[in-house]
Amino acid sequence: MNHQHIFKAQLNWTSKKEESASKFYSKTHQIKIEGKPVLNVSAAKAFKGDPELYNPEDLLLSSLVSCHMMSYLYVCSQNGIEVLEYSDSAEATLEVSADGSGRFVEVKLYPKVKISNSDQIELALELHQKANQLCFIANSCNFPVLHHASCEVA
C-alpha cells in the first residue's frame, strides 16, 4: 500500500523599481515553509544571481546528499552496522543548451564512512546501492546518481 505525503512551500518575489527599465530581473526571492526559517534564494552566480545566497542547483544537490545519508544510515541500522562518522563532498554536473534550457546530467556522491567493525567494511560499501534505491530524492531524478564511497574503521 502506497502512502502519500504533501509538502508545501510558498515563494515570494517582488520587482525592484529600477528593474522596470532593465532587461534583467533580480533573481533573489524568499521561500517560506510553515514553521521553518525563511530561506533566501537566488540564481547561481553564472546566471546573474547573488553568489552569497543558495540557488536551486545548490538545494537540489544538498537534497540528494542529505537524503542519501539518511537512507544509508537507515540501511546500516537494519544491518547492524554502527556508523561513527559520515561525510560527503558531492558534485553535480549541469549542462546548459544553446537555447538556454538546461538539466543536470549526473551527480557524483563521495561518501566517506567510519564504522566500528572492520568485518563489516564490504557490507558497509555495498549498502550505498541499497540506500540509493530507497532515497526519495534520487528516485525522483532523471539523471544518474553515482557513488564513489569509501569506508574505514575508526
Side-chain angles (χ1 to χ4, degrees), residues 32-38:
K32 295 180 183 177
I33 298 172
E34 188 176 329
K36 298 178 184 177
V38 170

Side-chain angles (χ1 to χ4, degrees), residues 58-72:
D58 291 335
L59 297 173
L60 178 67
L61 180 58
S62 298
S63 295
L64 273 165
V65 170
S66 181
C67 191
H68 181 79
M69 182 205 68
M70 289 185 281
S71 298
Y72 183 75

Side-chain angles (χ1 to χ4, degrees), residues 47 56-58 60-61 64 91-107 140-145:
F47 307 114
E57 296 81 10
D58 291 335
L60 178 67
L61 180 58
L64 273 165
E91 297 177 359
T93 303
L94 178 72
E95 190 175 83
V96 180
S97 301
D99 67 0
S101 66
R103 66 183 200 93
F104 281 100
V105 293
E106 74 177 10
V107 165
S140 303
C141 296
N142 65 352
F143 50 83
V145 179

Side-chain angles (χ1 to χ4, degrees), residues 38 50 58-59 72 83 106-108 118 130 136 139 146 149:
V38 170
D50 184 338
D58 291 335
L59 297 173
Y72 183 75
V83 178
E106 74 177 10
V107 165
K108 294 178 184 175
S118 62
K130 178 68 175 172
F136 302 151
N139 285 326
L146 309 172

Side-chain angles (χ1 to χ4, degrees), residues 2-13:
N2 291 338
H3 299 283
Q4 288 188 339
H5 300 274
I6 305 298
F7 294 85
K8 296 182 180 183
Q10 179 182 351
L11 184 140
N12 293 310
W13 174 88

